[in-house]
Amino acid sequence: MPGQELCRAGLLSHTGGDTELVTMCAVTRVLVLLLWAPWQELLGAPLAELSGDQRFHTFLKNNLEFTRKIKGDVAALQRVVCDTFQLCKEEELLLLRQDLDIAQAPLELCHGRSFQADACFSQIREGLRTYHSSLDAVLELLPGHAALVETLQLDAANLSSNIQHQLQMEDLGLATVTYPTEARRPLPAFSSHFHHQVGGFFILANFQRFLETAYRALRHLAHL
């Protein structure tokens, strides 16, 4: 039997103690451990527990559809801003952006080697809270579309609540977060109505990018 098969079959103890074979088997085991360890770290402990849970996959399916719906509503408001204020292309407004205090929620824990389900979900919920508040500036800017903006805010709160509820059911140890009206963050200060318009443009653009990343993270989990 070749040495590689002996290592795989675990028959080394019956070979008479071939020194070269012992060394080869030891090296093989070390290489396997080294190659496997980074993937364990990348996936994160919670994924192993959640990936086979049908209830968790139902949650992912439902909230992928919900996130897609929210993305569509944000896109509709972006078209309104484009049609109303002729603010349509981000690259034409980048210089103005530097003068505006526009919140941009991070999601670096939702992609790449740092991805872990519980940390990613925590960032998504915090980001939804940020944009829930920031949309007040869009509401002031587009009073004729108040119903759509308020629906978007409600959907952001509901998506965060869905994630919170699921994580509590899975007992991943995340603290409860709610959106009390008295705790709303202050609106950005705009020096002119035009800056307000540009600010509204970037709030929606940032929110759309945020949702796209969150959607990819949910889809990634659904495919595990």
Side-chain angles (χ1 to χ4, degrees):
M1 180 181 287
Q4 186 176 5
E5 295 178 3
L6 287 172
C7 291
R8 186 182 299 115
L11 299 177
L12 183 58
S13 60
H14 301 290
T15 65
D18 188 309
T19 302
E20 293 183 1
L21 186 54
V22 171
T23 302
M24 184 189 72
C25 290
V27 171
T28 299
R29 292 192 182 97
V30 170
L31 287 174
V32 168
L33 289 173
L34 289 174
L35 289 170
W36 175 243
W39 288 105
Q40 287 182 308
E41 181 180 354
L42 175 60
L43 292 177
L47 297 185
E49 300 171 6
L50 300 179
S51 59
D53 188 334
Q54 184 58 44
R55 181 178 59 190
F56 184 64
H57 281 284
T58 299
F59 155 79
L60 291 171
K61 179 179 180 295
N62 291 341
N63 286 282
L64 275 168
E65 295 174 0
F66 193 21
T67 304
R68 190 183 301 115
K69 185 263 184 189
I70 297 173
K71 281 165 45 65
D73 287 345
V74 173
L77 284 173
Q78 288 179 295
R79 289 192 293 272
V80 171
V81 169
C82 178
D83 294 341
T84 305
F85 306 119
Q86 287 73 56
L87 299 175
C88 307
K89 296 183 179 180
E90 188 167 348
E91 58 270 20
E92 296 176 355
L93 302 169
L94 291 178
L95 290 177
L96 286 170
R97 181 178 183 172
Q98 299 175 6
D99 300 327
L100 302 174
D101 181 24
I102 302 298
Q104 187 168 3
L107 276 183
E108 74 276 2
L109 298 180
C110 289
H111 53 80
R113 293 187 60 84
S114 59
F115 179 85
Q116 291 215 1
D118 52 352
C120 174
F121 281 145
S122 182
Q123 277 200 324
I124 290 174
R125 291 164 63 239
E126 182 59 30
L128 289 168
R129 180 182 178 88
T130 296
Y131 290 113
H132 180 275
S133 296
S134 296
L135 285 169
D136 283 342
V138 179
L139 185 62
E140 287 188 355
L141 187 64
L142 300 172
H145 298 271
L148 181 55
V149 178
E150 290 171 350
T151 296
L152 194 53
Q153 288 181 303
L154 180 61
D155 285 346
N158 285 338
L159 179 58
S160 177
S161 179
N162 291 349
I163 294 172
Q164 174 181 299
H165 177 68
Q166 180 65 29
L167 292 178
Q168 287 175 335
M169 290 176 64
E170 300 295 345
D171 194 26
L172 292 185
L174 293 183
T176 299
V177 175
T178 55
Y179 291 173
T181 55
E182 65 271 17
R184 291 199 177 205
R185 301 178 182 186
L187 292 177
F190 300 111
S191 59
S192 68
H193 186 60
F194 176 66
H195 280 84
H196 191 173
Q197 294 171 2
V198 175
F201 172 91
F202 278 113
I203 288 170
L204 293 172
N206 290 347
F207 194 18
Q208 188 68 277
R209 274 191 293 269
F210 172 90
L211 290 167
E212 288 169 358
T213 301
Y215 183 85
R216 287 196 298 270
L218 292 172
R219 188 175 57 189
H220 169 72
L221 287 171
H223 290 164
L224 288 177

